[in-house]
Amino acid sequence: MCRIFGHFDAEATPHELKSVAALQRHGGPDAQTQAAGAGWALGNNRLAIMDLDGGDQPYRLGEDIVAVFNGEIYNHQELRDRLSAKGHRFADTCDGSVIPALYAEYGMRFPEQLDGMYSVALVDLRDEPTLVLAADDVGMKPLYYHWEASSRHLYFSSELPALLSFRNVAARPWDAGLDAYLATRTPFGEQTMFEGISVLPPAATARVTLSAGLHITRREVTRPVGTPADEAEATQQVRDRLRDEVHRLTLADVPVATITSGGLDSSLVTALAAEKVRDLHTFNIAYRGTWPSDERAFAREVAERCGTRYHQIELDPASFPSLLSDVVWHLGQPNADPITLSTYALFASVRDAGASRSPSPETRPTSCSAATTASGRR
């Protein structure tokens, strides 16, 4: 994943911005770039997935529209063709490069044109300076922000630890969140476990101006689906929709992998991805020792049937205490779901395999003490 950050109608020193970028570098190791002006700044940590030689952020349209982006836009080629017909020109084929032109054409409604998972931050310097933040329909790419109503200062970032590194963003616990955490093991909703820090809700667009302050609107999400005539047609519709969605997720200029637990859903996704990707890698996580419901045999069977390169990640539960400090730091706020430790270790191994670009398809036992994920989707 990439990471984005910035501020509006506020102050941050170049050192602060570098600190924020450094704290999110694990999510975007390929480039760290910034743009700044009077009272505003936008920054990006890039993980290159599409158009590896292009995709330089921040994206610009002239000197007045500047944007940074985290995520993936599935319909970017369609949008590029539409915008090119209107006279816009693009320096590369990276998906996010369409955002400034899209905003120029559609204004605050530009997120309605996007099909994908994303968080976007854009500064419009025409007329009154304006900051626009946008989140995808289901909130796949979080964007945390601190809004100070009295001073009308706004700071934002993709991760909580990075946001807290701004000197004007205080790390004060939100006491009321303790009830939610104890009841559910994780905070829910827009409020984080820190007072004054929220996450932009799904399908939301925020607009910040010097005169009007912060205003957040929610888009109506509609997904038209035809009414099937019978069960067989309904089954075919689901199969076709799932195949389309999985296939477009495989579009990348880097190797693609799936996580295969051996269960029905991940096995189906793996089978559909294998239709599109010639050298698909699959990863399964298991634990040393004897465990009930060990599914590694099923995961290997799926890999063999689909012709993928299988990686068995075997964790030693004794290593879990050593992972706690890193996992807690990356989460940024309390989350007591034990799967977070396994997920962290699993994707560290995926990252390591992607970094080598020539991973062995054989079983690879590991303690998985590496820290970050760099080979997942942006």
Side-chain angles (χ1 to χ4, degrees):
M1 297 182 185
C2 293
R3 302 290 189 269
I4 62 175
F5 59 91
H7 66 81
F8 185 76
D9 192 21
E11 296 180 352
T13 67
H15 175 74
E16 279 182 272
L17 295 173
K18 289 182 180 179
S19 297
V20 175
L23 288 169
Q24 299 189 134
R25 189 180 184 280
H26 53 268
D30 296 322
Q32 293 77 47
T33 50
Q34 302 172 21
W40 66 272
L42 298 178
N44 169 262
N45 296 73
R46 187 189 182 205
L47 175 64
I49 298 294
M50 303 289 290
D51 191 356
L52 305 187
D53 295 327
D56 292 337
Q57 296 196 41
Y59 304 114
R60 292 180 177 271
L61 184 62
E63 295 299 320
D64 295 330
I65 299 177
V66 187
V68 289
F69 158 72
N70 170 29
E72 184 174 12
I73 299 171
Y74 306 136
N75 63 334
H76 69 98
Q77 188 56 56
E78 172 193 330
L79 294 174
R80 183 175 286 102
D81 292 343
R82 187 195 311 172
L83 293 166
S84 295
K86 294 178 178 290
H88 294 282
R89 296 294 177 262
F90 303 94
D92 56 45
T93 59
C94 197
D95 50 350
S97 63
V98 302
I99 291 172
L102 197 67
Y103 173 80
E105 293 293 335
Y106 294 94
M108 291 296 296
R109 298 185 60 185
F110 83 95
E112 298 174 11
Q113 312 301 317
L114 298 175
D115 181 8
M117 50 181 179
Y118 57 84
S119 58
V120 175
L122 180 148
V123 171
D124 181 359
L125 299 174
R126 302 172 301 176
D127 301 323
E128 182 180 19
T130 301
L131 171 70
V132 179
L133 305 176
D136 63 62
D137 292 350
V138 294
M140 284 291 292
K141 300 300 179 185
L143 196 59
Y144 299 97
Y145 68 93
H146 169 70
W147 164 246
E148 186 63 52
S150 59
S151 61
R152 301 203 170 186
H153 295 170
L154 188 139
Y155 297 86
F156 67 90
S157 70
S158 296
E159 295 187 6
L160 276 169
L163 181 59
L164 294 171
S165 70
F166 284 110
R167 70 180 187 277
N168 290 329
V169 180
R172 294 189 300 268
W174 181 52
D175 293 338
L178 183 61
D179 290 339
Y181 170 67
L182 292 175
T184 64
R185 301 191 299 181
T186 184
F188 286 100
E190 299 174 33
Q191 177 63 49
T192 70
M193 293 293 288
F194 293 97
E195 184 179 329
I197 298 179
S198 303
V199 63
L200 196 64
T205 304
R207 183 174 186 266
V208 188
T209 61
L210 306 183
S211 60
L214 171 66
H215 181 64
I216 298 177
T217 58
R218 300 287 294 271
R219 304 185 298 277
E220 182 179 356
V221 179
T222 58
R223 302 186 184 281
V225 178
T227 302
D230 51 32
E231 182 177 343
E233 186 175 341
T235 301
Q236 188 62 46
Q237 282 188 7
V238 171
R239 182 182 293 112
D240 292 344
R241 176 63 65 89
L242 184 58
R243 175 175 280 108
D244 290 343
E245 294 296 320
V246 172
H247 283 185
R248 65 180 184 170
L249 281 170
T250 65
L251 297 177
D253 295 324
V254 294
V256 175
T258 64
I259 305 302
T260 306
S261 68
L264 178 61
D265 51 354
S266 66
S267 299
L268 180 56
V269 168
T270 297
L272 295 174
E275 296 176 350
K276 196 73 172 177
V277 181
R278 286 188 57 187
D279 189 27
L280 183 68
H281 293 253
T282 57
F283 291 77
N284 172 260
I285 189 170
Y287 304 95
R288 291 180 184 174
T290 302
W291 295 84
S293 304
D294 189 318
E295 295 183 321
R296 74 182 80 191
F298 300 113
R300 185 179 289 276
E301 183 178 352
V302 170
E304 291 174 352
R305 182 178 181 87
C306 297
T308 68
R309 300 185 66 183
Y310 181 77
H311 302 258
Q312 182 64 64
I313 309 304
E314 189 175 70
L315 304 183
D316 184 353
S319 69
F320 281 175
S322 66
L323 297 177
L324 278 173
S325 60
D326 284 340
V327 171
V328 168
W329 189 89
H330 283 288
L331 287 173
Q333 59 182 336
N335 185 327
D337 190 340
I339 195 63
T340 55
L341 290 171
S342 298
T343 301
Y344 177 86
L346 169 63
F347 279 96
S349 292
V350 175
R351 189 259 336 252
D352 291 344
S356 71
R357 297 297 175 95
S358 57
S360 167
E362 301 304 321
T363 299
R364 299 172 57 246
T366 176
S367 63
C368 294
S369 59
T372 56
T373 302
S375 57
R377 307 300 300 184
R378 273 189 311 176

